[in-house]
Amino acid sequence: MPKRLTIKDIARLSGTGKSTVSRVLNQQGDVHPETRKRIEAVIEQYQFIPSRPARSMRVKESRVIGIIVARLDSAAENQAVSAMLPLLYQHGYDVLILESRFSTDKVVEHLKVLTQREVDGAILFSFTELTAAMIAGWESHIVLMVHPCEGFSSVCYDDAGAVQMLADHLFQQGHRRISYLGVNESDKTTGEDRYRAYLAACERLSLPPLASLGTLEYHSGYTLAGEVCRDGTSAVICATDSLALGIYKYLGEHPEHKITVAAIGNTPLLGFLFPAVITLEFGYANAGELAARQLLAHLTHTAPARTYLLTGQLNTDIAG
Amino acid sequence: MPKRLTIKDIARLSGTGKSTVSRVLNQQGDVHPETRKRIEAVIEQYQFIPSRPARSMRVKESRVIGIIVARLDSAAENQAVSAMLPLLYQHGYDVLILESRFSTDKVVEHLKVLTQREVDGAILFSFTELTAAMIAGWESHIVLMVHPCEGFSSVCYDDAGAVQMLADHLFQQGHRRISYLGVNESDKTTGEDRYRAYLAACERLSLPPLASLGTLEYHSGYTLAGEVCRDGTSAVICATDSLALGIYKYLGEHPEHKITVAAIGNTPLLGFLFPAVITLEFGYANAGELAARQLLAHLTHTAPARTYLLTGQLNTDIAG
DNA sequence: CTGTTAGCGCCTTCAA
DNA sequence: TTGAAGGCGCTAACAG
């Protein structure tokens, strides 16, 4: 056990005082270039790393940020988190990951824990039921994902634009019976917003709407598939890639239907199993990076709250 | 800003000294029941939480543990991690999650970071290339997942037993041509161990082996499917659930084959899309919990290194 | 430009 | 059983 060195040690080793060492460590104040070199050499030689707890205690900032995901096993959230981590670590922050499972209770509980842990900031994957009141007090050091909220920074997806893009694309391909398989409107973005956009698209393109709304799971897609694959439907837009998987299962059992499937999402599996699918994906990684940067901005110079709206990208690899 | 209280404050508030408060906080030493009650009341009333940095500094233990996963988006790893988190948090540990992407370089780098952060322990999702040398020094406070290592605690899966179980099951169902779709032997557990077990099973059951080895991705399963779906093969064992997805894609395009698919893994998607699949799953959540408990054991009372070998469970919902 | 000093909040002797 | 005192490693005045 080499017993970690302290700044006092390296002060002695480089023949200076603690404060000078501290100054070069935090690159603040003026230090004579030569003394600096000398100190840096010693630091390098002994691989000295200042103690975080000691620094935290003194400075009253933990250098920790919390991330509350809805589900640890969500592909989209995972991609976003993967993009955040390197950035945050790189800026010297530790990251605590918590899971809400879409429970507002869990969120407020986690937020309380994060407060107790004195974290410097947080990134929260939000959802419909979450109200501004639940995150009150965090405005200056939190960024929301997916769901915006007045007065808070957030990075969200352009749900309406996505459905619109999908509908237009299918229309251009000649489809005149485009139905929609979605999610219950109680979910604001994935449910209501996307459904509304579908209805609007039908209106705009003068198409007869045919839709069915269920839950997020692929089971729901399978169950509801029959309701949208009829009346001469030639294409269906799915609010979610898992829903599309459900439909494909249905189509596999009902080969008489010749239907084009389009979906929002980016499970690579979907495109692999069913190459004909048309997919629109938001850049989740990109979103994560944006969120992390915005949070960092909040933490360094008090930046104003800002909302990013990410637009999707069409993905029609195989289908002509 | 209510400005956090310190133990000094609550000492004053409860009319005692700092040390007494500290004693009840750490439930150590003898404290008069009455004084204790009084202090606890104040603590409760003000929702007092002692400062972690201050405690860490004094006690020289960070109460942080690191988890290095191979891939953030691995379903199996996610399940395991989900099980660890609550346990660890519950015991007062913060958790840092890092991603290795199967790179030994990343692992040693992360391990170094964890050392610098003075974490108390770590859980590492290991893989073939990882050698004992790379994790030297961690023996007393690390637990490995998936791959065992001499002198270190680990929780692993009984790969050989799993393949054996699958083979026996298929044999009992009357299959006499059972082929194998696996992973390159350069991967010790998923590759070599499972393949060897398949060969052994063939030997034992006097069946002619027919196997093909590729990579972990489902693309590989699709590509190699043709090589194992012939010579009268009636069933194929897949080393991995993703491989099974590849086979199913192939089978979908070659309906002339009537083949039973069995696989190790538990992607719920697989069973949903192809209910006839026979699946053997290790309890990943269970594994995670075990690992967390073992690490906690190491951290509290220096427990001896120990290896857990988890056996799988057959899953044949639909298939008769 | 640099060293000295004084705590940050907590735990741990050491007396009382 | 309890309080006072000391110091963990670091930063931020404050003198030089």
Side-chain angles (χ1 to χ4, degrees), chain B residues 7 18 22 50-51 55 58:
Chain B
I7 87 172
K18 297 189 303 175
S22 177
S51 148
R55 181 177 207 292
R58 192 55 239 258

Side-chain angles (χ1 to χ4, degrees), chain A residues 6-7 18-19 22 50-51 55 58:
Chain A
T6 76
I7 87 171
K18 298 190 304 175
S19 25
S22 178
S51 150
R55 180 177 207 292
R58 194 57 242 254

Side-chain angles (χ1 to χ4, degrees), chain A residues 192-252:
Chain A
E192 182 182 338
D193 291 353
R194 296 186 188 180
Y195 179 48
R196 293 269 167 99
Y198 166 71
L199 293 178
C202 286
E203 177 92 25
R204 186 165 41 80
L205 301 171
S206 305
L207 300 181
L210 172 58
S212 183
L213 306 183
T215 70
L216 279 164
E217 292 89 42
Y218 36 62
H219 301 95
S220 175
Y222 175 66
T223 310
L224 267 30
E227 297 190 24
V228 294
C229 294
R230 63 176 185 203
D231 299 350
T233 289
S234 68
V236 24
I237 295 176
C238 300
T240 271
D241 45 11
S242 47
L243 255 23
L245 284 168
I247 285 226
Y248 270 119
K249 171 166 177 165
Y250 174 87
L251 292 178

Side-chain angles (χ1 to χ4, degrees), chain B residues 199-221:
Chain B
L199 292 180
C202 286
E203 179 91 27
R204 184 164 44 79
L205 301 171
S206 305
L207 300 181
L210 172 58
S212 185
L213 306 182
T215 70
L216 279 164
E217 290 90 43
Y218 35 61
H219 302 94
S220 176

Side-chain angles (χ1 to χ4, degrees), chain A residues 21-34:
Chain A
V21 177
S22 178
R23 284 196 261 274
V24 336
L25 244 22
N26 305 288
Q27 17 215 359
Q28 78 190 201
D30 288 319
V31 175
H32 191 89
E34 202 161 303

